[in-house]
Amino acid sequence: MKDKFIKKLKRSWLAIWIAFAAAALSTVGVLAAYTSVSSVKRVVSTQKGAGMLFSSNYLTTDESDLPRTITFSSMETSPCVTVNVCNYPQTMIKHNDKDITYTITVELVDSDGNAVTGEETAKYSVEYNGEKKTFGSNSKIEFSLLKLMADDFNKHEFVLTFDKSQLTKSDIYMRVTATPKNQAELKPLSAKLGVIYINNNTSATWTGTFIDNATSPKDLDGFNYRLSGSGEDTVTLTWNTNYVDISPWFKNTYDLTISKDSSGIATATLKVNSAEKNQYEIQFYRTNGINSAEQWSDGNHTNITVTGTGFVSMSFTQSTAKEN
């Protein structure tokens, strides 16, 4: 009788143990599945700005195809524009952890995007890595199977040379397109670039705008701001450090002296001269996360507001150009 009771008890404990083990395994399975999903979410979140891991100083993901003119001094005899393509954001926060294979296509077009043909096309060229190509009868130049290696911060530079006549009649442009081939999450970059001469007697004009291709500032972890213009000036930048702060890289590169008042408004001045450099890419980073009330103040992305108050607005003052 005692033996039967012990055997029965053992069977009962075995059943309990199996049930407990099954429940434990089930819990582990749930945890594993949850961890897996969480891990995937983290990866997706990390890759939120993956498109920026393929970037350029002039090319963007904006599909408007509006022509852009780069200003030059009257002393320029051979106007050249150097376009870079990088495996990192222009902020150089991190580089792409995969090789990027892409193709560069450069088309000679007018302001409406129509192909330019004829003998004058030979006056225009594109140079990459020591190889210089001029435009032929099809008004197109291509560099294919280019690769940005994932081992470091890497960039390729393409020198676009324009005919000097375009400094006074900017009606011929180079439409440059960089198309990635091996990473679906990377978007093509493009821009239609031209050149123009700015008379030294012309009043200096500098403008700035956010260049991020986003519907809302709430979609962004940081902001890229482009300052461009003509003439010689002192530009004053202001921003609210309660929301954003300027890239240390930009600050150190241009040796900015920054002052900040008790309310958190930072101010910096930058000497600019379009004869030396006519465009600056400035990066700002969030300091206190995203505010649900953030919005662009207009369709041109010139300002960001929270309930009507600007927090990444920038202004500049112009000094009178000095005479030589």
Side-chain angles (χ1 to χ4, degrees):
M1 184 73 177
K2 183 178 179 181
D3 292 339
K4 288 182 178 180
F5 176 76
I6 291 174
K7 288 181 180 179
K8 185 175 181 180
L9 185 61
K10 284 181 178 180
R11 285 196 300 269
S12 298
W13 276 112
L14 180 60
I16 293 171
W17 182 86
I18 291 173
F20 177 78
L25 288 172
S26 175
T27 303
V28 170
V30 171
L31 288 174
Y34 178 78
T35 303
S36 176
V37 170
S38 298
S39 176
V40 169
K41 286 182 178 178
R42 283 196 296 271
V43 170
V44 171
S45 177
T46 301
Q47 295 299 320
K48 179 179 179 181
M52 292 303 292
L53 296 180
F54 182 60
S55 72
S56 169
N57 59 336
Y58 282 108
L59 313 182
T60 72
T61 56
D62 184 6
E63 298 179 355
S64 63
D65 198 33
L66 295 175
R68 290 182 52 201
T69 52
I70 294 105
T71 57
F72 284 85
S73 163
S74 60
M75 302 299 292
E76 185 62 61
T77 58
S78 182
C80 299
V81 178
T82 300
V83 175
N84 68 41
V85 178
C86 315
N87 69 340
Y88 51 83
Q90 295 296 294
T91 54
M92 295 191 73
I93 303 172
K94 61 178 291 187
H95 62 76
N96 202 310
D97 60 2
K98 300 176 183 177
D99 293 345
I100 302 174
T101 301
Y102 70 101
T103 295
I104 279 282
T105 303
V106 186
E107 302 168 274
L108 209 58
V109 298
D110 61 21
S111 58
D112 294 323
N114 302 311
V116 173
T117 59
E119 295 181 359
E120 64 180 354
T121 59
K123 299 177 182 179
Y124 300 80
S125 65
V126 182
E127 182 175 350
Y128 166 69
N129 199 27
E131 182 182 3
K132 187 175 183 179
K133 296 183 179 183
T134 56
F135 289 89
S137 58
N138 62 355
S139 301
K140 182 181 292 187
I141 288 173
E142 185 173 281
F143 293 90
S144 59
L145 299 178
L146 303 176
K147 183 176 289 188
L148 289 163
M149 305 300 291
D151 60 345
D152 203 347
F153 290 86
N154 287 306
K155 72 177 179 180
H156 295 158
E157 292 187 334
F158 304 84
V159 180
L160 282 53
T161 301
F162 290 78
D163 178 19
K164 185 181 178 180
S165 67
Q166 292 305 297
L167 292 175
T168 55
K169 54 169 187 177
S170 186
D171 57 358
I172 295 181
Y173 297 80
M174 291 195 206
R175 181 162 55 200
V176 186
T177 305
T179 307
K181 300 295 185 180
N182 64 327
Q183 294 190 47
E185 68 272 21
L186 300 180
K187 296 181 179 180
L189 306 170
S190 65
K192 188 158 60 182
L193 306 174
V195 296
I196 194 169
Y197 157 66
I198 294 296
N199 191 310
N200 290 336
N201 296 322
T202 302
S203 299
T205 303
W206 285 79
T207 59
T209 185
F210 293 98
I211 59 173
D212 298 294
N213 186 27
T215 302
S216 164
K218 293 189 287 291
D219 298 334
L220 304 171
D221 297 322
F223 307 94
N224 292 285
Y225 188 83
R226 177 174 292 153
L227 182 69
S228 59
S230 62
E232 184 179 356
D233 293 275
T234 299
V235 173
T236 301
L237 307 174
T238 62
W239 62 94
N240 192 330
T241 60
N242 295 307
Y243 297 98
V244 297
D245 211 345
I246 200 165
S247 159
W249 177 87
F250 187 86
K251 174 182 179 295
N252 295 333
T253 299
Y254 295 101
D255 196 26
L256 294 184
T257 299
I258 299 174
S259 61
K260 186 169 66 172
D261 65 20
S262 58
S263 66
I265 302 299
T267 303
T269 58
L270 177 67
K271 292 289 186 180
V272 294
N273 185 346
S274 61
E276 300 172 357
K277 187 176 178 66
N278 63 2
Q279 179 172 285
Y280 296 85
E281 304 288 348
I282 310 172
Q283 293 75 41
F284 289 86
Y285 302 95
R286 292 187 182 275
T287 55
N288 283 312
I290 298 173
N291 187 311
S292 60
E294 294 172 9
Q295 61 181 3
W296 295 109
S297 62
D298 59 33
N300 294 323
H301 291 189
T302 57
N303 193 18
I304 299 174
T305 62
V306 177
T307 60
T309 302
F311 74 87
V312 193
S313 59
M314 272 161 266
S315 62
F316 59 88
T317 56
Q318 286 130 9
S319 60
T320 303
K322 297 180 180 178
E323 295 182 358
N324 295 327

